[in-house]
Amino acid sequence: MVKKILFSILFLSMSFSTVWGQVNPNEEHWREPFDIYVGPKVGVTYSNFTRLENDPMIWPMIGGFVEVFFTDRFGMNVEMNFTHNGAKNVYHPNAQEVAKRPDVSTGPYEYRLDYINTEYKLKYYFTKPLCAFAGFHFGTLINAKSEVDGQSTNIRKQLHRQASVLMGASYETDKFVVEGLYCFPMRRLASKNTTADELFLNTKQNIFMLTFGYKIAIF
């Protein structure tokens, strides 16, 4: 299904670009098909949880990308990055009910979640510097800690991998790229039949990213 969607977007975008070029034969072509760029990225992530009282967590991110063009306006970006997500001052209203023990705290909890992420973006340049994109974000959880009342617990095996639909825009100045995106979560945070599942219920994780990249032409 995902392959069909990506192929459909690719076909429609290339068709639109071809028609646009025929309508505007004197238009400047900014890039050539199969131009390839690579580069590093740094930035910040903003994350919080849905359905719970909590405060967002803001942390730096680091990564790299490869971008290939299919036409002068349309291309695809593949990226890998490391992010530290989570939330703080989280309150689980049903914590005592779940645990059935009076000594279990309802909060505030702090959740620190480390991910290695891969992102796939289909990009369209409306002008030479301005681009809009959409795609998919997948995160492999490599570390997950829950802390409350000074005690830390490893909960990595109780949480799902990230799977999100992403949308955003970028602006290029010479070789520098400023990009902002939001990840729409497709799955809930906690795995079923775990303590985290009972505490989080249908909670999901919102993620915003603001990044700065440097593009290096390869071909």
Side-chain angles (χ1 to χ4, degrees), residues 1-2 5-6 9 118-122 133-139 161-168 180-187 204-209:
M1 182 64 180
V2 171
I5 293 173
L6 290 174
I9 295 173
T118 52
E119 296 175 352
Y120 305 89
K121 305 170 186 174
L122 293 174
F133 57 82
F136 298 96
H137 169 103
F138 301 101
R161 296 180 60 191
Q162 284 183 344
S164 306
V165 173
L166 63 83
M167 296 185 67
L181 66 85
Y182 171 68
C183 296
F184 298 87
M186 294 190 294
R187 67 191 312 184
K204 297 180 179 180
Q205 183 173 207
N206 289 314
I207 300 174
F208 299 86
M209 291 188 189

Side-chain angles (χ1 to χ4, degrees), residues 118-142:
T118 52
E119 296 175 352
Y120 305 89
K121 305 170 186 174
L122 293 174
K123 308 181 71 173
Y124 187 82
Y125 287 80
F126 294 96
T127 65
K128 187 174 182 179
L130 183 61
C131 167
F133 57 82
F136 298 96
H137 169 103
F138 301 101
T140 299
L141 188 61
I142 60 174

Side-chain angles (χ1 to χ4, degrees), residues 31-39 41 64-79 119 121-125 128-133 170 172 175-177 179 213-219:
R31 303 169 183 89
E32 296 295 331
F34 302 106
D35 280 355
I36 299 177
Y37 296 84
V38 300
K41 296 182 73 173
F65 66 91
V66 177
E67 183 173 4
V68 57
F69 284 86
F70 303 116
T71 72
D72 64 326
R73 289 178 177 265
F74 179 71
M76 183 174 182
N77 179 297
V78 179
E79 180 176 331
E119 296 175 352
K121 305 170 186 174
L122 293 174
K123 308 181 71 173
Y124 187 82
Y125 287 80
K128 187 174 182 179
L130 183 61
C131 167
F133 57 82
S170 66
E172 298 184 14
K175 295 184 178 181
F176 294 94
V177 185
E179 179 180 287
Y214 183 79
K215 296 181 73 168
I216 303 168
I218 300 299
F219 296 106

Side-chain angles (χ1 to χ4, degrees), residues 17-74:
S17 182
T18 301
V19 172
W20 182 273
Q22 293 174 347
V23 174
N24 299 273
N26 297 322
E27 179 189 18
E28 177 187 3
H29 289 274
W30 308 315
R31 303 169 183 89
E32 296 295 331
F34 302 106
D35 280 355
I36 299 177
Y37 296 84
V38 300
K41 296 182 73 173
V42 295
V44 294
T45 62
Y46 172 107
S47 63
N48 65 359
F49 297 154
T50 65
R51 300 177 180 269
L52 294 175
E53 180 182 346
N54 67 102
D55 292 331
M57 187 171 285
I58 302 174
W59 281 88
M61 64 81 68
I62 186 170
F65 66 91
V66 177
E67 183 173 4
V68 57
F69 284 86
F70 303 116
T71 72
D72 64 326
R73 289 178 177 265
F74 179 71

